[in-house]
Amino acid sequence: MRRTLIYSLALIAVWLLLAQCFIMRNRWSDKKAYSVFKSKQVPLTIYDTIINERHLHYAVCGPDTLPTLVFIHGSPGSWMNYMKYMWDSSMRKKFRIVAIDRPGFGYSDFGKAMHLQEQCKIILPVLQQLKTSAPMYVAGHSMGGPVAVKLAADNPALFNTVILIAGAIDINQEAKETWRKIMNVRPMYWALPGAFGPSNTELLYLKNDLLPLQEDFKKITCNILFVHGDEDTWVPIKNIAYGTKMMVNAKSITADTLHGADHQIPWKRMDELKQILLGLY
């Protein structure tokens, strides 16, 4: 009995330690990021700004004379999810790449999850500041999809194209997931490792945040490009049909279906996604 108790306490200690480690928080220090990019001879600038008393941490790669491609990660995630795109020479020839730590993740006040609409109030001023005379594109993966939609609705002239990569925009396709409410209550919340805590919270928020987003779809006037896998069991491909129906004022709507692809397109199908992005202009 005593041995079992010791093992159980040790397991709990390891789990709590794991929950706080940098790997599970999906982030590197800026110092390490600079070092890795330098070793690859890829220029990088990391910024940390304060909007509405919240930090927004983001990375920029490339000159502002090029069109800008903004990556918005899913849940959980961080700007680091798109480092390989920054390292790719063909991508750097065509784009200045911006990758953001959404509020609650990375170094954007890690752990403090926010509602979709509040996130956009923090992200939008930064993108407006980064805008140049060259076109700006925004690619949102999963939870980053509705964020990209809201940003485009709040400033219709900002983006040339919104790319929704397995974007979760249809409230009718959201799973019930009653277990999330249980895991959001302390002390159960503390058992979620690293970034999975704020992720669980914001995905709970999303189920309500998608309701007011329905009124924003008609404000979209730029081009829309859907990229979705037909074997995505997390965010069903039916989100494309819903978005097409709702974005009645979009300049154009196109879709690329990746056959056999699941939800993790940016990593598992990077080559195909890269070619799609390179074809934006």
Side-chain angles (χ1 to χ4, degrees), residues 123-177:
I123 296 172
L124 185 57
V126 171
L127 299 188
Q128 290 171 327
Q129 185 179 14
L130 289 170
K131 183 73 172 73
T132 66
S133 58
M136 176 176 276
Y137 305 86
V138 60
H141 174 240
S142 192
M143 172 71 194
V147 173
V149 167
K150 179 61 177 171
L151 290 169
D154 287 349
N155 191 333
L158 186 60
F159 304 117
N160 175 284
T161 304
V162 172
I163 306 98
L164 297 174
I165 309 166
I169 59 174
D170 184 359
I171 191 170
N172 295 314
Q173 300 302 319
E174 289 295 298
K176 298 297 182 182
E177 298 178 322

Side-chain angles (χ1 to χ4, degrees), residues 97-108:
I97 300 176
V98 177
I100 295 171
D101 283 344
R102 285 194 297 103
F105 299 91
Y107 285 98
S108 294

